[in-house]
PDB file of all heavy atoms in Angstrom:
ATOM      1  N   VAL P 339      19.104 123.734 205.357  1.00  0.00           N
ATOM      2  CA  VAL P 339      17.658 123.845 205.593  1.00  0.00           C
ATOM      3  C   VAL P 339      17.322 125.259 206.069  1.00  0.00           C
ATOM      4  O   VAL P 339      16.343 125.859 205.622  1.00  0.00           O
ATOM      5  CB  VAL P 339      17.185 122.776 206.602  1.00  0.00           C
ATOM      6  CG1 VAL P 339      15.759 123.039 207.056  1.00  0.00           C
ATOM      7  CG2 VAL P 339      17.297 121.381 205.982  1.00  0.00           C
ATOM      8  N   ALA P 340      18.148 125.819 206.941  1.00  0.00           N
ATOM      9  CA  ALA P 340      17.910 127.175 207.453  1.00  0.00           C
ATOM     10  C   ALA P 340      17.994 128.220 206.341  1.00  0.00           C
ATOM     11  O   ALA P 340      17.331 129.257 206.409  1.00  0.00           O
ATOM     12  CB  ALA P 340      18.910 127.501 208.557  1.00  0.00           C
ATOM     13  N   LEU P 341      18.778 127.943 205.308  1.00  0.00           N
ATOM     14  CA  LEU P 341      18.879 128.863 204.171  1.00  0.00           C
ATOM     15  C   LEU P 341      17.649 128.802 203.267  1.00  0.00           C
ATOM     16  O   LEU P 341      17.516 129.594 202.352  1.00  0.00           O
ATOM     17  CB  LEU P 341      20.128 128.551 203.343  1.00  0.00           C
ATOM     18  CG  LEU P 341      21.461 128.879 203.991  1.00  0.00           C
ATOM     19  CD1 LEU P 341      22.609 128.352 203.129  1.00  0.00           C
ATOM     20  CD2 LEU P 341      21.590 130.374 204.200  1.00  0.00           C
ATOM     21  N   GLN P 342      16.779 127.839 203.520  1.00  0.00           N
ATOM     22  CA  GLN P 342      15.558 127.628 202.730  1.00  0.00           C
ATOM     23  C   GLN P 342      15.863 127.433 201.248  1.00  0.00           C
ATOM     24  O   GLN P 342      15.238 128.044 200.373  1.00  0.00           O
ATOM     25  CB  GLN P 342      14.571 128.771 202.936  1.00  0.00           C
ATOM     26  CG  GLN P 342      14.100 128.879 204.350  1.00  0.00           C
ATOM     27  CD  GLN P 342      13.098 130.002 204.558  1.00  0.00           C
ATOM     28  OE1 GLN P 342      12.889 130.857 203.716  1.00  0.00           O
ATOM     29  NE2 GLN P 342      12.458 129.975 205.709  1.00  0.00           N
ATOM     30  N   VAL P 343      16.849 126.554 200.977  1.00  0.00           N
ATOM     31  CA  VAL P 343      17.165 126.215 199.591  1.00  0.00           C
ATOM     32  C   VAL P 343      15.967 125.530 198.960  1.00  0.00           C
ATOM     33  O   VAL P 343      15.091 125.005 199.654  1.00  0.00           O
ATOM     34  CB  VAL P 343      18.423 125.323 199.514  1.00  0.00           C
ATOM     35  CG1 VAL P 343      19.645 126.062 200.011  1.00  0.00           C
ATOM     36  CG2 VAL P 343      18.232 124.029 200.280  1.00  0.00           C
ATOM     37  N   THR P 344      15.920 125.538 197.641  1.00  0.00           N
ATOM     38  CA  THR P 344      14.805 124.915 196.932  1.00  0.00           C
ATOM     39  C   THR P 344      14.931 123.403 196.895  1.00  0.00           C
ATOM     40  O   THR P 344      13.953 122.686 197.033  1.00  0.00           O
ATOM     41  CB  THR P 344      14.740 125.461 195.487  1.00  0.00           C
ATOM     42  OG1 THR P 344      14.697 126.886 195.556  1.00  0.00           O
ATOM     43  CG2 THR P 344      13.538 124.953 194.746  1.00  0.00           C
ATOM     44  N   ALA P 345      16.154 122.923 196.682  1.00  0.00           N
ATOM     45  CA  ALA P 345      16.437 121.491 196.631  1.00  0.00           C
ATOM     46  C   ALA P 345      17.858 121.283 197.115  1.00  0.00           C
ATOM     47  O   ALA P 345      18.678 122.207 197.091  1.00  0.00           O
ATOM     48  CB  ALA P 345      16.284 120.960 195.208  1.00  0.00           C
ATOM     49  N   ILE P 346      18.155 120.064 197.576  1.00  0.00           N
ATOM     50  CA  ILE P 346      19.503 119.740 198.034  1.00  0.00           C
ATOM     51  C   ILE P 346      19.954 118.458 197.351  1.00  0.00           C
ATOM     52  O   ILE P 346      19.229 117.461 197.345  1.00  0.00           O
ATOM     53  CB  ILE P 346      19.572 119.567 199.570  1.00  0.00           C
ATOM     54  CG1 ILE P 346      18.991 120.803 200.270  1.00  0.00           C
ATOM     55  CG2 ILE P 346      21.018 119.337 200.007  1.00  0.00           C
ATOM     56  CD1 ILE P 346      18.863 120.656 201.774  1.00  0.00           C
ATOM     57  N   VAL P 347      21.155 118.489 196.790  1.00  0.00           N
ATOM     58  CA  VAL P 347      21.746 117.338 196.098  1.00  0.00           C
ATOM     59  C   VAL P 347      22.835 116.769 196.982  1.00  0.00           C
ATOM     60  O   VAL P 347      23.633 117.520 197.551  1.00  0.00           O
ATOM     61  CB  VAL P 347      22.344 117.775 194.735  1.00  0.00           C
ATOM     62  CG1 VAL P 347      22.989 116.599 194.029  1.00  0.00           C
ATOM     63  CG2 VAL P 347      21.275 118.414 193.863  1.00  0.00           C
ATOM     64  N   GLY P 348      22.881 115.442 197.108  1.00  0.00           N
ATOM     65  CA  GLY P 348      23.932 114.842 197.922  1.00  0.00           C
ATOM     66  C   GLY P 348      24.046 113.345 197.738  1.00  0.00           C
ATOM     67  O   GLY P 348      23.281 112.721 197.013  1.00  0.00           O
ATOM     68  N   SER P 349      25.005 112.794 198.428  1.00  0.00           N
ATOM     69  CA  SER P 349      25.252 111.354 198.432  1.00  0.00           C
ATOM     70  C   SER P 349      24.286 110.669 199.401  1.00  0.00           C
ATOM     71  O   SER P 349      23.458 111.320 200.031  1.00  0.00           O
ATOM     72  CB  SER P 349      26.689 111.092 198.874  1.00  0.00           C
ATOM     73  OG  SER P 349      26.845 111.524 200.216  1.00  0.00           O
ATOM     74  N   LEU P 350      24.419 109.365 199.548  1.00  0.00           N
ATOM     75  CA  LEU P 350      23.559 108.613 200.461  1.00  0.00           C
ATOM     76  C   LEU P 350      23.694 109.111 201.897  1.00  0.00           C
ATOM     77  O   LEU P 350      22.691 109.383 202.567  1.00  0.00           O
ATOM     78  CB  LEU P 350      23.878 107.117 200.393  1.00  0.00           C
ATOM     79  CG  LEU P 350      23.063 106.233 201.329  1.00  0.00           C
ATOM     80  CD1 LEU P 350      21.610 106.174 200.866  1.00  0.00           C
ATOM     81  CD2 LEU P 350      23.648 104.846 201.413  1.00  0.00           C
ATOM     82  N   GLU P 351      24.933 109.265 202.387  1.00  0.00           N
ATOM     83  CA  GLU P 351      25.132 109.730 203.768  1.00  0.00           C
ATOM     84  C   GLU P 351      24.535 111.119 203.973  1.00  0.00           C
ATOM     85  O   GLU P 351      23.910 111.394 204.985  1.00  0.00           O
ATOM     86  CB  GLU P 351      26.623 109.771 204.136  1.00  0.00           C
ATOM     87  CG  GLU P 351      27.301 108.433 204.164  1.00  0.00           C
ATOM     88  CD  GLU P 351      27.970 108.105 202.836  1.00  0.00           C
ATOM     89  OE1 GLU P 351      27.742 108.815 201.848  1.00  0.00           O
ATOM     90  OE2 GLU P 351      28.721 107.120 202.799  1.00  0.00           O
ATOM     91  N   ALA P 352      24.741 111.977 202.988  1.00  0.00           N
ATOM     92  CA  ALA P 352      24.196 113.334 203.066  1.00  0.00           C
ATOM     93  C   ALA P 352      22.672 113.287 203.075  1.00  0.00           C
ATOM     94  O   ALA P 352      22.026 113.985 203.859  1.00  0.00           O
ATOM     95  CB  ALA P 352      24.699 114.168 201.900  1.00  0.00           C
ATOM     96  N   ALA P 353      22.091 112.464 202.220  1.00  0.00           N
ATOM     97  CA  ALA P 353      20.633 112.368 202.136  1.00  0.00           C
ATOM     98  C   ALA P 353      20.037 111.834 203.435  1.00  0.00           C
ATOM     99  O   ALA P 353      18.957 112.259 203.844  1.00  0.00           O
ATOM    100  CB  ALA P 353      20.228 111.494 200.956  1.00  0.00           C
ATOM    101  N   LEU P 354      20.736 110.932 204.102  1.00  0.00           N
ATOM    102  CA  LEU P 354      20.249 110.424 205.391  1.00  0.00           C
ATOM    103  C   LEU P 354      20.229 111.545 206.436  1.00  0.00           C
ATOM    104  O   LEU P 354      19.285 111.656 207.221  1.00  0.00           O
ATOM    105  CB  LEU P 354      21.100 109.243 205.866  1.00  0.00           C
ATOM    106  CG  LEU P 354      20.887 107.948 205.084  1.00  0.00           C
ATOM    107  CD1 LEU P 354      21.986 106.935 205.398  1.00  0.00           C
ATOM    108  CD2 LEU P 354      19.513 107.363 205.353  1.00  0.00           C
ATOM    109  N   ALA P 355      21.262 112.385 206.444  1.00  0.00           N
ATOM    110  CA  ALA P 355      21.276 113.522 207.366  1.00  0.00           C
ATOM    111  C   ALA P 355      20.178 114.517 207.007  1.00  0.00           C
ATOM    112  O   ALA P 355      19.510 115.066 207.886  1.00  0.00           O
ATOM    113  CB  ALA P 355      22.646 114.202 207.341  1.00  0.00           C
ATOM    114  N   LEU P 356      19.966 114.734 205.726  1.00  0.00           N
ATOM    115  CA  LEU P 356      18.928 115.657 205.267  1.00  0.00           C
ATOM    116  C   LEU P 356      17.531 115.134 205.585  1.00  0.00           C
ATOM    117  O   LEU P 356      16.637 115.904 205.919  1.00  0.00           O
ATOM    118  CB  LEU P 356      19.075 115.907 203.769  1.00  0.00           C
ATOM    119  CG  LEU P 356      20.304 116.718 203.381  1.00  0.00           C
ATOM    120  CD1 LEU P 356      20.614 116.545 201.899  1.00  0.00           C
ATOM    121  CD2 LEU P 356      20.090 118.174 203.748  1.00  0.00           C
ATOM    122  N   GLN P 357      17.357 113.820 205.479  1.00  0.00           N
ATOM    123  CA  GLN P 357      16.065 113.197 205.770  1.00  0.00           C
ATOM    124  C   GLN P 357      15.642 113.512 207.207  1.00  0.00           C
ATOM    125  O   GLN P 357      14.464 113.741 207.480  1.00  0.00           O
ATOM    126  CB  GLN P 357      16.175 111.683 205.564  1.00  0.00           C
ATOM    127  CG  GLN P 357      14.917 110.906 205.812  1.00  0.00           C
ATOM    128  CD  GLN P 357      15.142 109.414 205.633  1.00  0.00           C
ATOM    129  OE1 GLN P 357      16.183 108.872 206.011  1.00  0.00           O
ATOM    130  NE2 GLN P 357      14.172 108.748 205.033  1.00  0.00           N
ATOM    131  N   ALA P 358      16.601 113.543 208.105  1.00  0.00           N
ATOM    132  CA  ALA P 358      16.308 113.865 209.507  1.00  0.00           C
ATOM    133  C   ALA P 358      16.093 115.361 209.717  1.00  0.00           C
ATOM    134  O   ALA P 358      15.476 115.765 210.693  1.00  0.00           O
ATOM    135  CB  ALA P 358      17.447 113.371 210.398  1.00  0.00           C
ATOM    136  N   ALA P 359      16.589 116.186 208.788  1.00  0.00           N
ATOM    137  CA  ALA P 359      16.536 117.637 208.964  1.00  0.00           C
ATOM    138  C   ALA P 359      15.322 118.305 208.324  1.00  0.00           C
ATOM    139  O   ALA P 359      14.935 119.388 208.744  1.00  0.00           O
ATOM    140  CB  ALA P 359      17.807 118.267 208.396  1.00  0.00           C
ATOM    141  N   THR P 360      14.722 117.681 207.314  1.00  0.00           N
ATOM    142  CA  THR P 360      13.600 118.330 206.623  1.00  0.00           C
ATOM    143  C   THR P 360      12.671 117.320 205.971  1.00  0.00           C
ATOM    144  O   THR P 360      13.109 116.271 205.510  1.00  0.00           O
ATOM    145  CB  THR P 360      14.092 119.332 205.545  1.00  0.00           C
ATOM    146  OG1 THR P 360      12.962 119.969 204.952  1.00  0.00           O
ATOM    147  CG2 THR P 360      14.899 118.638 204.463  1.00  0.00           C
ATOM    148  N   THR P 361      11.404 117.670 205.961  1.00  0.00           N
ATOM    149  CA  THR P 361      10.409 116.883 205.219  1.00  0.00           C
ATOM    150  C   THR P 361       9.774 117.727 204.127  1.00  0.00           C
ATOM    151  O   THR P 361       8.882 117.270 203.432  1.00  0.00           O
ATOM    152  CB  THR P 361       9.302 116.366 206.162  1.00  0.00           C
ATOM    153  OG1 THR P 361       8.690 117.483 206.800  1.00  0.00           O
ATOM    154  CG2 THR P 361       9.855 115.394 207.182  1.00  0.00           C
ATOM    155  N   SER P 362      10.251 118.969 203.981  1.00  0.00           N
ATOM    156  CA  SER P 362       9.625 119.854 202.993  1.00  0.00           C
ATOM    157  C   SER P 362      10.542 120.261 201.850  1.00  0.00           C
ATOM    158  O   SER P 362      10.060 120.570 200.767  1.00  0.00           O
ATOM    159  CB  SER P 362       9.089 121.111 203.689  1.00  0.00           C
ATOM    160  OG  SER P 362      10.140 121.790 204.337  1.00  0.00           O
ATOM    161  N   ILE P 363      11.850 120.265 202.055  1.00  0.00           N
ATOM    162  CA  ILE P 363      12.782 120.622 200.978  1.00  0.00           C
ATOM    163  C   ILE P 363      13.106 119.371 200.177  1.00  0.00           C
ATOM    164  O   ILE P 363      13.376 118.310 200.741  1.00  0.00           O
ATOM    165  CB  ILE P 363      14.064 121.247 201.555  1.00  0.00           C
ATOM    166  CG1 ILE P 363      13.725 122.561 202.273  1.00  0.00           C
ATOM    167  CG2 ILE P 363      15.094 121.486 200.451  1.00  0.00           C
ATOM    168  CD1 ILE P 363      14.888 123.200 202.992  1.00  0.00           C
ATOM    169  N   ALA P 364      13.086 119.513 198.861  1.00  0.00           N
ATOM    170  CA  ALA P 364      13.373 118.383 197.970  1.00  0.00           C
ATOM    171  C   ALA P 364      14.825 117.931 198.130  1.00  0.00           C
ATOM    172  O   ALA P 364      15.739 118.751 198.151  1.00  0.00           O
ATOM    173  CB  ALA P 364      13.111 118.787 196.527  1.00  0.00           C
ATOM    174  N   ILE P 365      15.008 116.614 198.256  1.00  0.00           N
ATOM    175  CA  ILE P 365      16.332 116.008 198.388  1.00  0.00           C
ATOM    176  C   ILE P 365      16.555 115.092 197.187  1.00  0.00           C
ATOM    177  O   ILE P 365      15.737 114.216 196.909  1.00  0.00           O
ATOM    178  CB  ILE P 365      16.436 115.183 199.689  1.00  0.00           C
ATOM    179  CG1 ILE P 365      16.191 116.065 200.902  1.00  0.00           C
ATOM    180  CG2 ILE P 365      17.798 114.487 199.780  1.00  0.00           C
ATOM    181  CD1 ILE P 365      15.980 115.283 202.197  1.00  0.00           C
ATOM    182  N   VAL P 366      17.667 115.312 196.478  1.00  0.00           N
ATOM    183  CA  VAL P 366      18.033 114.479 195.333  1.00  0.00           C
ATOM    184  C   VAL P 366      19.335 113.774 195.682  1.00  0.00           C
ATOM    185  O   VAL P 366      20.342 114.423 195.934  1.00  0.00           O
ATOM    186  CB  VAL P 366      18.229 115.322 194.045  1.00  0.00           C
ATOM    187  CG1 VAL P 366      18.605 114.425 192.876  1.00  0.00           C
ATOM    188  CG2 VAL P 366      16.981 116.134 193.734  1.00  0.00           C
TER     189      VAL P 366
END
């Protein structure tokens, strides 16, 4: 998130961590 990536791809566990980290970067 700090790198300001455009989108992040991950598994379910990764997406759950990402969900808590950002509401603006696209998560796939």
Side-chain angles (χ1 to χ4, degrees):
V339 169
L341 290 173
Q342 297 181 348
V343 296
T344 306
I346 306 173
V347 179
S349 64
L350 179 70
E351 295 94 349
L354 288 167
L356 291 162
Q357 181 182 39
T360 182
T361 58
S362 59
I363 297 175
I365 300 168
V366 180

